[in-house]
Amino acid sequence: AQSVAQPEDQVNVAEGNPLTVKCTYSVSGNPYLFWYVQYPNRGLQFLLKYITGDNLVKGSYGFEAEFNKSQTSFHLKKPSALVSDSALYFCAVSFTGGGNKLTFGTGTQLKVEL
Amino acid sequence: ETGVTQSPTHLIKTRGQQVTLRCSSQSGHNTVSWYQQALGQGPQFIFQYYREEENGRGNFPPRFSGLQFPNYSSELNVNALELDDSALYLCASSLRVGGRTDTQYFGPGTRLTVL
């Protein structure tokens, strides 16, 4: 079975400060890890993914994520937050032999304040 | 925007009715997945279609069924609607090459309300 945990329901950060949204996972094979963002009344927008290779993955809008196999984590980061980054962020995992089914976390609401 | 479209945007049904939701996949994609997102939760995998056949199913009862057409568009059908079926239904398209499927790109969703 595969699972994803996002331990924080909400993260608050001041504009210009760095942000981190946490994600840990559990799979029975090699993980494929994804971050998506959801704005109100919208679908999910793809940010970045880790399949293999470099542990630091760079994605859209200045976001990046670091894959840590020993800690089974894939935290989303951005060096300088913008108010427009305020949204709901989902971490998701699939794995080799898992048929590309995505298992999502419960989401983290990011609020960036002036 | 991803190029994945869904219709209708919103839908209101009563308990016991049947509903059909539609999805057009992104150009060049051959795989469609459906997810249910209840309020305040993450999306839950319903099933996936590849080459017009179901290719994996989540923990949903048989009254949730689907189709994929030769142009890779897809339908999700739900029979005997229950109040708990109220949710945002998301379609995602992707490209499968060999045994591996690439990133899933999501449509805007259909908001279903069951009264």
Side-chain angles (χ1 to χ4, degrees):
Chain A
Q2 57 196 71
S3 65
V4 173
Q6 293 182 243
E8 301 156 317
D9 290 337
Q10 182 161 320
V11 169
N12 296 319
V13 64
E15 188 175 51
N17 283 0
L19 69 87
T20 298
V21 182
K22 296 180 179 177
C23 171
T24 59
Y25 67 90
S26 174
V27 296
S28 55
N30 291 323
Y32 300 149
L33 293 155
F34 302 82
W35 276 101
Y36 288 87
V37 60
Q38 187 174 39
Y39 295 95
N41 301 312
R42 302 286 297 275
L44 300 177
Q45 182 176 337
F46 170 71
L47 282 179
L48 51 79
K49 66 181 178 184
Y50 171 83
I51 302 297
T52 187
D54 288 341
N55 289 343
L56 184 63
V57 177
K58 293 187 182 296
S60 305
Y61 312 115
F63 285 95
E64 57 188 31
E66 185 167 11
F67 171 65
N68 188 316
K69 187 173 183 178
S70 63
Q71 296 186 6
T72 61
S73 67
F74 189 57
H75 301 331
L76 181 70
K77 299 183 180 185
K78 187 174 182 182
S80 179
L82 298 172
V83 172
S84 58
D85 293 330
S86 298
L88 185 58
Y89 290 79
F90 287 99
C91 180
V93 67
S94 64
F95 64 99
T96 52
N100 201 48
K101 160 192 169 182
L102 285 176
T103 297
F104 286 84
T106 52
T108 298
Q109 185 69 47
L110 173 66
K111 186 174 183 181
V112 182
E113 299 166 312
L114 289 171
Chain B
E1 299 299 325
T2 64
V4 181
T5 61
Q6 293 186 242
S7 62
T9 305
H10 296 87
L11 202 53
I12 300 175
K13 291 285 189 178
T14 56
R15 196 169 43 180
Q17 285 188 311
Q18 178 265 342
V19 68
T20 297
L21 310 181
R22 294 177 175 83
C23 171
S24 292
S25 58
Q26 185 171 314
S27 177
H29 286 181
N30 56 14
T31 303
V32 173
S33 305
W34 286 92
Y35 293 81
Q36 181 196 65
Q37 185 180 15
L39 200 61
Q41 298 183 22
Q44 299 288 318
F45 176 75
I46 303 174
F47 43 54
Q48 183 179 90
Y49 277 82
Y50 171 65
R51 289 186 175 178
E52 303 177 50
E53 292 190 358
E54 189 177 290
N55 179 47
R57 188 179 184 93
N59 189 26
F60 281 82
R63 59 189 185 83
F64 285 78
S65 63
L67 286 172
Q68 186 182 32
F69 300 100
N71 66 354
Y72 305 120
S73 66
S74 177
E75 286 182 355
L76 165 65
N77 299 290
V78 187
N79 294 322
L81 283 167
E82 301 177 358
L83 297 179
D84 285 348
D85 295 334
S86 294
L88 181 67
Y89 287 85
L90 296 164
C91 165
S93 78
S94 53
L95 176 63
R96 177 171 168 173
V97 178
R100 220 191 96 187
T101 308
D102 205 345
T103 302
Q104 295 183 31
Y105 293 91
F106 285 80
T110 294
R111 173 73 63 186
L112 173 65
T113 301
V114 182
L115 301 176

